[in-house]
Amino acid sequence: MAKIRVGRVGEQIKKELSQIIQTEIKDPRVGFITVTGVETSNDLSQAKVYLSVLGSEEQKEETLKAIGRATGFIRSELGKRMRLRHTPVLIFKFDSSIEYGSRIEGILEEINGENKRS
């Protein structure tokens, strides 16, 4: 029963963080960010937030720095929007699975193109 609640809270955190990052943060260094997942600890004290950022490596680093500086604001906004006794500590990490998937898709298209020519 507790795992179900942790999962539901994680999904709600994901939804709220997406909204907060897109609408509330005014830092120009924050580019196009997608919150791809949230893993919460069993006691809801920590939440690992996985972000996908479009752009070069330099833009990704700048975005992560900007998000790191806005963590306090993001956490306080999350606390206002969600009714939890304690707002979890947010740990932001990059999720490279989208880039990895698009790279594999490109390789597969290249292989299929070569097979059609043969």
Side-chain angles (χ1 to χ4, degrees):
M1 192 70 162
K3 285 198 181 262
I4 295 170
R5 180 173 186 267
V6 169
R8 282 196 336 245
V9 170
E11 284 300 312
Q12 185 65 30
I13 289 173
K14 178 181 166 183
K15 192 166 70 169
E16 295 294 339
L17 284 177
S18 294
Q19 260 187 336
I20 291 169
I21 289 173
Q22 295 297 324
T23 59
E24 302 293 329
I25 295 180
K26 306 295 185 207
D27 195 330
R29 294 179 294 177
V30 175
F32 185 72
I33 297 178
T34 305
V35 178
T36 57
V38 174
E39 288 181 6
T40 55
S41 60
N42 288 335
D43 61 351
L44 298 174
S45 64
Q46 286 186 342
K48 291 181 186 174
V49 181
Y50 294 96
L51 303 173
S52 176
V53 181
L54 292 179
S56 67
E57 288 298 320
E58 184 178 309
Q59 288 172 327
K60 290 178 184 180
E61 291 301 319
E62 287 297 318
T63 300
L64 190 60
K65 285 180 188 174
I67 292 292
R69 299 202 79 190
T71 301
F73 170 75
I74 294 169
R75 188 171 176 217
S76 68
E77 279 294 312
L78 185 65
K80 290 176 191 173
R81 294 178 184 210
M82 294 183 68
R83 293 191 305 175
L84 293 172
R85 187 170 289 167
H86 300 286
T87 306
V89 174
L90 302 174
I91 302 167
F92 292 100
K93 296 188 174 201
F94 278 127
D95 182 13
S96 60
S97 63
I98 293 174
E99 292 173 9
Y100 182 72
S102 64
R103 195 174 97 220
I104 289 177
E105 186 176 339
I107 292 170
L108 290 174
E109 286 176 5
E110 186 179 311
I111 292 170
N112 284 337
E114 289 176 4
N115 287 342
K116 289 179 182 178
R117 285 185 228 142
S118 299

